[in-house]
Amino acid sequence: MIKSLLIANRGEIACRVIRTARSLGIRTIAVYSDADAEALHVREADEAVHIGPAPTRESYLVGEKIIAAAKATGAEAIHPGYGFLSENAEFAQAVMDAGIVWVGPNPSSITAMGLKDAAKKLMAGAGVPVTPGFMGEDQSPGLLADEAGKIGYPVLIKAVAGGGGKGMRLVESEEDFADALASCKREAASSFGNDHVLIEKYIASPRHIEVQVFGDKHGHVVHLFERDCSLQRRHQKVIEEAPAPGMDVATREALCAAAVRAAKAVDYVGAGTIEFIADGSGKLAADKIWFMEMNTRLQVEHPVTEEITGVDLVEWQLRVASGEPLPLSQEDLTIDGWAMEARLYAEDPAKGFLPSIGTLELLQFGEAEGAYGRGRIDTGVYEGAEVSPHYDPMIAKVIAWGEDRDEARERLGEMLQDSAVWPVKTNASFLVKALEHPDFAAGKVDTGLIGRDGEAMSEPPVPSDDVLQAAAEALVPLTDMAGFRLNAAPRRAAWFLLDGEKVEIALTGEGSEEPATGVLVTEQGQAWLLSPWRHDAAHGAADGSGAIIAPMPGKVISVEVEKGDTVTKGQKLLTLEAMKMEHTLTAPFDGTVAELNASAGAQVQVDALLVKIEEAAEQEA
Ligand code: ADP
Ligand code: ADP
Ligand code: MG
């Protein structure tokens, strides 16, 4: 077994690999960019090597820097994770040429599966059913249009070098073909440096079903059953599960046998995934499932396979790379229960899934043990860490296990609901609603479900009245409430700020002996900051003190005045950005800037004194 390992990746997958390596007594070496100096994978590794600036092209994608880091630290092997250099055959070869063990397949296997058209031809030759379509060298638009007509609309145009859901166009009818082809080729050329495309029959009610395969250096190949990744948004996986709903034993055997044939056809070593597209309009059947592509690496969603088989796939990768035979034979592998994974992202579904960048000031996950059985959180961040604009904004993979599908699904929903992240926005409530969608709950899922019904799932969640009321009591002084309790039923409403929005909340309790200045309200996997609304905070000091305080934590965008300036009532003093909104603070009356504690770019806490204005009259006196 290798004794040391460099992980050429970041985030949750780097942490995932480090965890297993450590359990096997392997010394771990992380690499990191400027943006990741404080990242979790750097903290968890035994050593870490800086490899350059934040942009991936200057750090994580530079093979020479990674190999140099491995040599400098005496790393015996390199694990590439997924994404980045994981499917780069040249890098794999360079690692091996440097005398370092490559934790992955032979470069020739990566190359054989690298282009979708070549891979499909190879698979067809190996007796694996492939998605019907055209994959010729001749790329003239007229010929491609003819071929599309022969296949029959709707068709899918796919960049042969595409990946990550990019470089694909669905074409519903002949008149749209020419434009779609041109735009697909443009995207393919700019994203992948290769504008060749293939044309495929668009499968009705498509289901994405993939098989985990594993090979060793002694010619053995096994499969570890299938995963269903049909819940997708724009061809990107959102929720994955294993096994696939509605898969009968005979269909599974045929599908998994085809996957093993596919892996053997490229002498596959290590962890790989054969992706199939299935016609989900009726019952799953072997003659309605076709090869789509192979991913020659560990997959994002590998944990669901681990949870139903009890196999640590990273451990297998490290054993196989060290030359050991596969730890288990096909007969020893069985399915136990059901597992489901959700990708929790720092993004705002209500704003078109825009990444939500910032500090994870609150980061809580639903209990991963005990109450949820075999629940699991794979994360690459911690409370206080930054979600950086440079990389994929995934916060965690939340994985639940159950005796059956419903149990796994319900537990995953609970784990997500009990999570709380703030002030960064997440897709937690989107995921919960997707899990509760009647079709998904019934196992009737195709890749178009979110496209059809996603809008309702994207609506921003609001905390319930009960939760808001309880939180509001903590903000109101006891004395404020007492007078209202003397005779009639205690009842009164007060104004608060909920993440910067003014809201009215009915109060029924007693208030608090030591009222807080702000409370984080957590529900539905989200969190909101509730603070007392102050007339003076929002509109200047109505109490006459002239103290301008920060109504919520935020960042000073601009300061319009200097100390000693004369200001007039209503004049703009400074702009604060909080909760992605800009708030302008103005002078409450004519006067002079007596104190100024803010500068552009500074982070300020709620209630911080930013500016103090002295009244004109006062000054003269
Ligand atoms: P999975 O099925 O494991 O989710 P994906 O195809 O979604 O695989 O890719 C996993 C990771 O690799 C993602 O971070 C994705 O953005 C990245 N990725 C995959 N293919 C490419 C590509 N051709 N170019 C750039 N990034 C890619
Ligand atoms: P990528 O390399 O981007 O992962 P894939 O070929 O794996 O590309 O396709 C990505 C997704 O596009 C699939 O998971 C599926 O949702 C959809 N898709 C691909 N091919 C077809 C097809 N022939 N018919 C219907 N949907 C398809
Ligand atoms: Mg794919």
Side-chain angles (χ1 to χ4, degrees):
M1 179 65 101
I2 52 164
K3 295 263 181 306
S4 56
L5 176 70
L6 181 141
I7 300 96
N9 217 298
R10 63 178 304 284
E12 66 87 17
I13 192 59
C15 297
R16 162 76 193 88
V17 174
I18 290 170
R19 192 172 75 227
T20 289
R22 167 150 305 157
S23 75
L24 296 171
I26 297 170
R27 180 168 65 96
T28 56
I29 300 121
V31 291
Y32 66 97
S33 70
D34 286 346
D36 277 339
E38 301 293 328
L40 188 60
H41 74 284
V42 173
R43 295 186 175 190
E44 291 197 338
D46 296 314
E47 282 170 59
V49 181
H50 176 248
I51 50 164
T56 54
R57 287 187 188 288
E58 298 171 52
S59 49
Y60 295 105
L61 287 176
V62 186
E64 298 81 34
K65 288 189 181 180
I66 286 164
I67 291 171
K71 284 185 172 161
T73 52
E76 251 181 277
I78 292 181
H79 191 302
Y82 56 74
F84 292 150
L85 295 167
S86 61
E87 292 180 276
N88 185 316
E90 271 173 48
F91 177 63
Q93 188 61 54
V95 169
M96 292 160 79
D97 290 348
I100 300 166
V101 175
W102 167 247
V103 184
N106 291 315
S108 60
S109 310
I110 301 178
T111 306
M113 290 297 188
L115 295 178
K116 291 184 202 290
D117 55 344
K120 281 178 72 176
K121 284 178 197 160
L122 187 74
M123 289 301 103
V128 178
V130 304
T131 321
F134 172 77
M135 32 193 182
E137 276 303 307
D138 189 340
Q139 293 277 306
S140 58
L143 176 92
L144 292 174
D146 285 349
E147 293 294 340
K150 279 187 220 159
I151 295 164
Y153 288 92
V155 299
L156 201 58
I157 308 175
K158 272 189 195 179
V160 299
K166 271 180 124 186
M168 281 193 288
R169 292 292 182 281
L170 170 61
V171 191
E172 306 271 4
S173 63
E174 199 181 333
E175 53 274 21
D176 301 333
F177 186 83
D179 284 352
L181 177 67
S183 111
C184 188
K185 278 186 170 282
R186 267 196 309 276
E187 183 175 305
S190 77
S191 299
F192 312 111
N194 175 345
D195 78 346
H196 272 229
V197 298
L198 58 82
I199 307 195
E200 260 176 21
K201 174 88 194 141
Y202 185 76
I203 305 302
S205 307
R207 278 179 65 180
H208 176 119
I209 298 177
E210 56 184 38
V211 177
Q212 176 72 55
V213 292
F214 228 106
D216 65 17
K217 293 179 180 173
H218 308 277
H220 309 114
V221 177
V222 297
H223 68 81
L224 291 97
F225 312 103
E226 81 281 1
R227 295 183 283 257
D228 190 317
C229 314
S230 300
L231 199 81
Q232 301 187 349
R233 198 181 78 83
R234 302 193 172 173
H235 304 304
Q236 300 262 26
K237 299 159 186 170
V238 174
I239 289 174
E240 303 106 341
E241 60 187 299
M247 178 72 75
D248 62 46
V249 173
T251 307
R252 173 175 296 132
E253 270 177 15
L255 181 70
C256 294
V260 169
R261 277 203 303 283
K264 284 190 170 159
V266 291
D267 300 322
Y268 200 76
V269 172
T273 294
I274 317 286
E275 295 191 334
F276 295 89
I277 192 93
D279 177 347
S281 59
K283 197 174 161 3
L284 284 179
D287 61 355
K288 289 198 283 180
I289 305 182
W290 302 272
F291 171 87
M292 200 160 50
E293 64 163 349
M294 178 171 191
N295 292 327
T296 52
R297 56 173 159 87
L298 190 68
Q299 203 95 339
V300 175
E301 57 274 20
H302 75 275
V304 293
T305 298
E306 297 186 321
E307 294 302 310
I308 61 160
T309 59
V311 168
D312 180 333
L313 291 172
V314 175
E315 178 182 337
W316 279 31
Q317 284 189 299
L318 298 174
R319 291 197 182 285
V320 162
S322 303
E324 294 182 23
L326 288 174
L328 293 178
S329 65
Q330 192 66 63
E331 298 73 55
D332 298 329
L333 287 159
T334 51
I335 297 179
D336 174 26
W338 211 284
M340 211 177 268
E341 168 184 291
R343 300 187 186 193
L344 183 66
Y345 271 94
E347 64 186 13
D348 190 350
K351 289 191 182 144
F353 293 85
L354 208 70
S356 182
I357 306 304
T359 307
L360 294 161
E361 285 178 28
L362 175 76
L363 178 67
Q364 275 174 14
F365 296 115
E367 279 287 304
E369 274 172 287
Y372 299 103
R374 274 157 45 182
R376 165 173 167 187
I377 306 282
D378 279 18
T379 186
V381 292
Y382 50 88
E383 197 168 82
E386 297 285 327
V387 177
S388 148
H390 298 285
Y391 313 112
D392 185 278
M394 181 147 72
I395 294 175
K397 302 187 303 204
V398 181
I399 306 121
W401 180 90
E403 296 284 348
D404 57 25
R405 185 171 189 268
D406 265 341
E407 194 176 52
R409 189 177 62 84
E410 278 159 24
R411 283 177 175 170
L412 180 57
E414 287 172 44
M415 289 175 78
L416 288 165
Q417 299 239 27
D418 289 354
S419 298
V421 181
W422 186 86
V424 161
K425 295 265 190 269
T426 77
N427 62 342
S429 105
F430 176 85
L431 293 169
V432 169
K433 287 178 204 151
L435 289 169
E436 288 169 353
H437 188 285
D439 287 347
F440 184 81
K444 282 193 296 182
V445 57
D446 67 80
T447 62
L449 189 141
I450 289 177
R452 290 189 299 273
D453 293 347
E455 217 162 297
M457 299 173 195
S458 307
E459 290 203 351
V462 283
S464 63
D465 289 350
D466 287 359
V467 168
L468 272 183
Q469 258 173 23
E473 299 296 340
L475 301 176
V476 193
L478 206 49
T479 48
D480 267 23
M481 305 291 296
F484 292 85
R485 300 187 61 245
L486 285 178
N487 23 52
R491 185 152 187 86
R492 91 180 252 236
W495 292 100
F496 295 86
L497 285 174
L498 184 65
D499 274 357
E501 296 273 345
K502 198 175 161 195
V503 291
E504 190 181 18
I505 301 173
L507 299 168
T508 52
E510 303 202 332
S512 164
E513 217 162 299
E514 287 177 55
T517 51
V519 177
L520 278 174
V521 180
T522 62
E523 207 186 23
Q524 304 170 60
Q526 311 285 124
W528 299 262
L529 177 67
L530 188 73
S531 52
W533 177 76
R534 289 165 208 251
H535 189 254
D536 58 340
H539 302 288
D543 64 354
S545 77
I548 310 296
I549 65 167
M552 63 195 96
K555 184 177 168 186
V556 178
I557 299 289
S558 64
V559 181
E560 316 295 336
V561 293
E562 283 178 29
K563 196 171 167 183
D565 278 5
T566 307
V567 293
T568 53
K569 184 177 175 183
Q571 185 177 333
K572 191 170 169 184
L573 301 174
L574 55 85
T575 304
L576 190 68
E577 185 194 63
M579 312 316 306
K580 298 223 161 75
M581 293 190 308
E582 292 193 356
H583 306 264
T584 301
L585 303 181
T586 57
F589 39 68
D590 295 354
T592 313
V593 178
E595 263 186 65
L596 180 63
N597 303 317
S599 56
Q603 288 288 340
V604 295
Q605 296 305 315
V606 62
D607 282 345
L609 176 68
L610 302 175
V611 184
K612 185 148 168 59
I613 306 292
E614 269 174 17
E615 229 166 333
E618 254 177 49
Q619 215 192 356
E620 273 160 33

